[in-house]
Amino acid sequence: MAVQTDATPETPAAPEASPGVDLGSASGLSCRECGATVPLGPVFACELCFGPLEVAYDLPTGDPESLRKRIENGPASIWRYAPLLPVPADVADKPNLNPGWTKLVKADNLARELGVTGGLYVKDDSGNPTHSFKDRVVAQAIEAARAFGFTTLSCSSTGNLAGAVGAAAARAGFRSCVFIPHDLEQGKVVMAAVYGGELVGIEGNYDDVNRFCSELIGDPVGEGWGFVNVNLRPYYAEGSKTLAYEICEQLGWRLPDQIVIPIASGSQLTKIDKGLQELIKLGLVEDRPYKIFGAQAEGCSPVSAAFKAGNDVVRPQKPDTIAKSLAIGNPADGPYVLDICRRTGGAVEDVTDEEIVAAVKLLARTEGIFTETAGGTTLGVAKKLIEAGVIDPSLTTVVVNTGDGLKTLDAVAPTTGMSAVIRPNLDSFREAGLV
């Protein structure tokens, strides 16, 4: 069983999904453990085995080339993939932030630094509206919230999700009330609060926040609330598939050989794999092997520890790392991450806080991309695995950058600053030794 909370709370009262609810090609919800199916609705756990539910589809059939052209002629956002997502056909016309279609940067300078000859790319999701990949998943959750008649959007968050919910709710006309650990980076606090919704700090770490939300969601006060990463989680999680779709389309409709993905709850990694498998099934890309690698910070590395020990069970840890957006000590999708990385021939690795900071600076220095600590974790792991011979430098490799470094300035500020302070004349400039 892999659900988001320690205990499975009751779903709060909300309007029942009508038989005619329009979520595009989504046909129902399916349990990832026992395979049971239920109608589309605001539920996230199987009543039979308490396993997590995910969206099942009646995917488009017919000529792959026609579908490929339809996608290519779509909007420059995740909505170009609307036929493959749980959204109505007119989703692009509704008030939303239209995230996605972010840059896939060919990182030649970084490749030379790391000795990669087969092509190295950075999927840079810092270009989303609130500067993280969370805009993708929240955009999906908004459509489910509309379909099910919710009036308030909420979440438990390590920071990026709080900002994404606040912004998307403001744009779509929802009330928002989100919950975060009280000691998050100031940049993420301000960004989450500026959109005018309620922002509540909880004394404790993310897992404490999540436990609180599990109590709230089972209480009458939660009636009419859509928790994007709980009772809307099956729909929300599907947004991460669009990273896989975009990467393959931007590579000329081909699979990457290797992809390195950060692990917080683990949902992003599992949905990227789901997206790749869907593209294969639809005939949009050639079916060939690919490897998926997961990245964690040493100070919160329960999945990495389980992978290295050869375990199938992920034991929770108490987070202690600068990579706060990855600081989930009890990752819901941890067991599924292990399955995917082992099935594809990949691995899960972790790096120290010092290696994270070094990787943040390396990416900035070589490619002009300022990543947050999650991206530093991902690149740090990629570097470590390349040096260890685990990642093949002769193959095409994609590193996923999930957010903007302006949100985690505190991590690099102590070792980053002005080269010199001089008087306003040339003699002082020369004395500084900069020429």
Side-chain angles (χ1 to χ4, degrees):
M1 179 179 71
V3 294
Q4 180 66 18
T5 53
D6 292 340
T8 304
E10 295 181 3
T11 302
E16 292 285 338
S18 68
V21 64
D22 181 10
L23 286 176
S25 59
S27 59
L29 299 177
S30 174
C31 177
R32 290 166 74 178
E33 291 293 329
C34 72
T37 58
V38 297
L40 295 171
V43 292
F44 66 99
C46 176
E47 291 185 354
L48 299 179
C49 72
F50 300 104
L53 297 173
E54 67 175 359
V55 179
Y57 295 91
D58 290 324
L59 290 174
T61 59
D63 177 28
E65 188 59 31
S66 297
L67 178 57
R68 191 180 292 117
K69 289 186 181 300
R70 178 181 174 184
I71 290 170
E72 291 172 346
N73 291 330
S77 71
I78 63 172
W79 306 133
R80 67 199 289 114
Y81 308 108
L84 312 181
L85 297 170
V87 295
D90 63 349
V91 60
D93 299 326
K94 297 177 182 292
N96 62 69
L97 296 179
N98 298 317
W101 201 240
T102 55
K103 293 179 180 179
L104 182 68
V105 178
K106 194 168 188 297
D108 291 338
N109 296 330
L110 180 61
R112 282 191 291 272
E113 187 98 4
L114 298 181
V116 174
T117 58
L120 180 62
Y121 297 83
V122 176
K123 180 57 173 171
D124 186 12
D125 245 24
S126 67
N128 276 310
T130 68
H131 309 288
S132 91
F133 91 96
K134 291 295 188 182
D135 291 319
R136 297 175 182 270
V137 290
V138 171
Q140 294 291 143
I142 284 274
E143 294 311 309
R146 284 190 176 114
F148 303 140
F150 288 115
T151 57
T152 297
L153 285 184
S154 187
C155 68
S156 52
S157 173
T158 57
N160 283 327
L161 180 57
V165 168
R171 171 72 177 134
F174 284 81
R175 174 186 177 236
S176 68
C177 182
V178 300
F179 302 90
I180 60 173
H182 71 288
D183 60 350
L184 282 186
E185 301 95 336
Q186 187 64 15
K188 290 180 180 177
V189 172
V190 172
M191 189 166 191
V194 74
Y195 301 109
E198 302 296 334
L199 178 66
V200 181
I202 302 291
E203 295 179 357
N205 59 33
Y206 174 81
D207 297 296
D208 297 316
V209 178
N210 211 29
R211 278 190 289 272
F212 167 79
C213 288
S214 73
E215 295 180 24
L216 178 58
I217 202 170
D219 189 272
V221 75
E223 184 174 346
W225 286 38
F227 284 78
V228 301
N229 53 346
V230 188
N231 58 346
L232 296 177
R233 186 175 180 81
Y235 313 95
Y236 156 95
E238 294 294 283
S240 288
K241 295 193 310 182
T242 60
L243 278 162
Y245 299 157
E246 289 179 21
I247 288 168
C248 290
E249 183 178 353
Q250 290 168 327
L251 286 174
W253 292 107
R254 62 185 178 91
L255 295 168
D257 297 312
Q258 303 166 134
I259 182 167
V260 191
I261 305 166
I263 299 170
S265 72
S267 176
Q268 183 186 76
L269 187 149
T270 63
K271 294 306 180 183
I272 287 177
D273 178 66
K274 183 180 181 182
L276 297 177
Q277 290 295 311
E278 287 177 349
L279 293 179
I280 292 170
K281 180 180 179 180
L282 291 165
L284 295 175
V285 298
E286 179 187 354
D287 184 2
R288 59 184 181 81
Y290 60 86
K291 294 183 179 181
I292 290 182
F293 299 87
Q296 291 202 292
E298 185 181 83
C300 185
S301 53
V303 187
S304 176
F307 182 88
K308 293 175 183 178
N311 295 334
D312 295 326
V313 176
V314 177
R315 294 186 176 181
Q317 295 181 357
K318 184 175 181 179
D320 182 16
T321 174
I322 60 171
K324 294 183 179 181
S325 61
L326 303 182
I328 297 179
N330 188 19
D333 279 25
Y336 302 112
V337 168
L338 293 173
D339 291 344
I340 289 167
C341 291
R342 287 168 177 157
R343 187 196 80 225
T344 63
V348 186
E349 185 56 88
D350 55 83
V351 286
T352 66
D353 284 356
E354 291 76 19
E355 289 172 311
I356 292 170
V357 172
V360 169
K361 293 183 175 182
L362 173 62
L363 184 58
R365 174 171 58 80
T366 57
E367 298 298 340
I369 298 172
F370 185 20
T371 179
E372 68 169 2
T373 48
T377 302
T378 310
L379 178 56
V381 163
K383 180 176 183 291
K384 186 173 182 178
L385 293 179
I386 290 167
E387 292 171 347
V390 178
I391 288 179
D392 188 339
S394 69
L395 299 178
T396 301
T397 304
V398 176
V399 176
V400 177
N401 173 38
T402 50
D404 195 315
L406 291 174
K407 296 185 177 188
T408 57
L409 289 174
D410 290 351
V412 294
T415 57
T416 307
M418 292 178 284
S419 300
V421 176
I422 66 170
R423 299 181 299 280
N425 59 66
L426 288 173
D427 287 341
S428 182
F429 181 56
R430 292 188 180 98
E431 289 169 4
L434 301 177
V435 292

